[in-house]
Amino acid sequence: MDYKRILTIQDASCVGQCSMTVALPIISACGIETAVIPSAVLSTHTAFDSFTFCDLTEEIPKIKDVWNKENIKFSAVYTGYLGNKAQVSYVKEIMNECLTDGGLRIVDPAMADGGKLYYGFDNNYVQAIKALCREADYILPNITEACLLTDTEYKTEYDREFIEGLMKELRKFFNGTVILTGAALTEGKTGVAVCEKDEIRFYEHEKISGGCHGTGDVYASVFTGALMRGKTPFEAATIAADFTCDCIKYTSPDKEHWYGVKFEPLLGGLIERLK
């Protein structure tokens, strides 16, 4: 395996097991050098009753300029939660200037769930993320995000025809590989749908009631790490789904640990899956 370096750009919650504090250890455990740009620093993620927030938008182009002077390049750029349109523009610049030849652009359009946008986002932000997705090699939307990106009415219940229709709408502006999370076709199951070159494949697994914060970040990080280790997109998608499910099962008995999943004790198993 060639030694690779990935850059991940997303917020850093000092406590909360999400975003960058998930991406950095998981991708590193996959055997990939992981560099970071924090889009913001929070004391805790926003599901806590109180939190501090420090916006680092103005630091992003400064960091990029230093890397250009030092000729620092990356095998892939993986983006998660971005706080505003300016950050989306800076991400585009970094992808254009700091990737190696053939470097991958992996976008998790983290902006919505449960049928609605996260606090502070509007349709202008959706359009900015859509433009970023258009330039990506891989996108990892959930059902809500895919509906927003395609102006499709969100549904809580859907069938194969609905999922395939979403994929076709995404392909109208995006030519890369789609990893659609939360795609369930069977009662009591959930899973992912992977669209490569107009071929759609499904992978289902047990749906665990309750859920946990940060699982989307765990999923996207494992997918990225597995992909960079040479797994096919479908293999990476299934490895990520199984690992995320294992993390939820491992964490759910501890009702005090509501703010994230205990992924750290399971990293050894992830490493074994990648061998």
Side-chain angles (χ1 to χ4, degrees):
M1 179 188 72
D2 293 334
Y3 192 69
K4 296 181 175 65
R5 177 196 288 145
I6 288 178
L7 168 64
T8 184
I9 309 173
Q10 51 189 309
D11 65 289
S13 293
C14 299
V15 171
Q17 290 176 309
C18 67
S19 302
M20 189 167 289
T21 55
V22 165
L24 179 56
I26 286 179
I27 299 174
S28 296
C30 292
I32 311 294
E33 178 184 349
T34 311
V36 302
I37 290 183
S39 58
V41 175
L42 295 81
S43 56
T44 52
H45 61 60
T46 56
F48 284 80
D49 291 335
S50 59
F51 56 89
T52 64
F53 179 90
C54 179
D55 189 321
L56 297 178
T57 300
E58 294 183 359
E59 296 300 312
I60 297 175
K62 298 176 187 177
I63 294 169
K64 181 207 69 172
D65 289 344
V66 170
W67 286 345
N68 283 337
K69 289 179 182 178
E70 297 293 334
N71 194 33
I72 294 172
K73 301 292 183 181
F74 302 95
S75 305
V77 174
Y78 151 50
T79 69
Y81 181 94
L82 302 171
N84 54 59
K85 288 175 61 179
Q87 290 188 1
V88 176
S89 296
Y90 290 146
V91 165
K92 289 182 182 179
E93 292 177 5
I94 289 169
M95 288 177 169
N96 290 334
E97 298 176 27
C98 298
L99 277 169
T100 59
D101 291 341
L104 298 179
R105 305 171 186 224
I106 304 168
V107 175
D108 177 2
M111 60 180 174
D113 202 3
K116 59 183 180 180
L117 284 165
Y118 295 148
Y119 175 79
F121 291 157
D122 58 16
N123 186 61
N124 290 330
Y125 184 79
V126 173
Q127 296 309 310
I129 290 294
K130 184 174 181 177
L132 179 62
C133 289
R134 187 177 285 113
E135 299 181 12
D137 298 293
Y138 298 88
I139 60 172
L140 295 93
N142 60 32
I143 298 292
T144 300
E145 290 156 352
C147 288
L148 287 167
L149 289 169
T150 58
D151 294 318
T152 301
E153 182 180 358
Y154 174 76
K155 295 182 179 181
T156 55
E157 297 182 4
Y158 42 82
D159 55 16
R160 178 184 290 267
E161 182 180 2
F162 178 78
I163 296 297
E164 291 179 347
L166 265 183
M167 293 290 203
K168 290 177 181 177
E169 288 300 312
L170 287 169
R171 295 285 289 177
K172 287 181 180 180
F173 70 88
F174 172 68
N175 293 321
T177 299
V178 180
I179 314 296
L180 183 66
T181 61
L185 300 179
T186 306
E187 185 175 354
K189 299 282 188 178
T190 189
V192 295
V194 179
C195 180
E196 291 184 84
K197 300 177 181 178
D198 296 323
E199 178 187 5
I200 301 174
R201 301 172 68 185
F202 291 87
Y203 179 73
E204 289 189 312
H205 58 80
E206 176 185 0
K207 183 176 182 179
I208 305 169
S209 61
C212 298
H213 292 288
T215 51
D217 301 324
V218 170
Y219 182 90
S221 299
V222 175
F223 172 84
T224 298
L227 185 72
M228 299 306 292
R229 282 292 302 269
K231 301 299 182 182
T232 68
F234 188 77
E235 289 170 339
T238 60
I239 289 170
D242 289 341
F243 182 78
T244 304
C245 188
D246 289 346
C247 289
I248 297 172
K249 288 180 180 179
Y250 186 82
T251 307
S252 58
D254 184 355
K255 302 307 179 185
E256 297 298 316
H257 201 96
W258 58 270
Y259 52 84
V261 290
K262 300 177 179 179
F263 67 91
E264 298 91 347
L266 304 183
L267 286 175
L270 173 60
I271 294 168
E272 287 299 314
R273 294 181 188 184
L274 295 176
K275 288 183 177 179

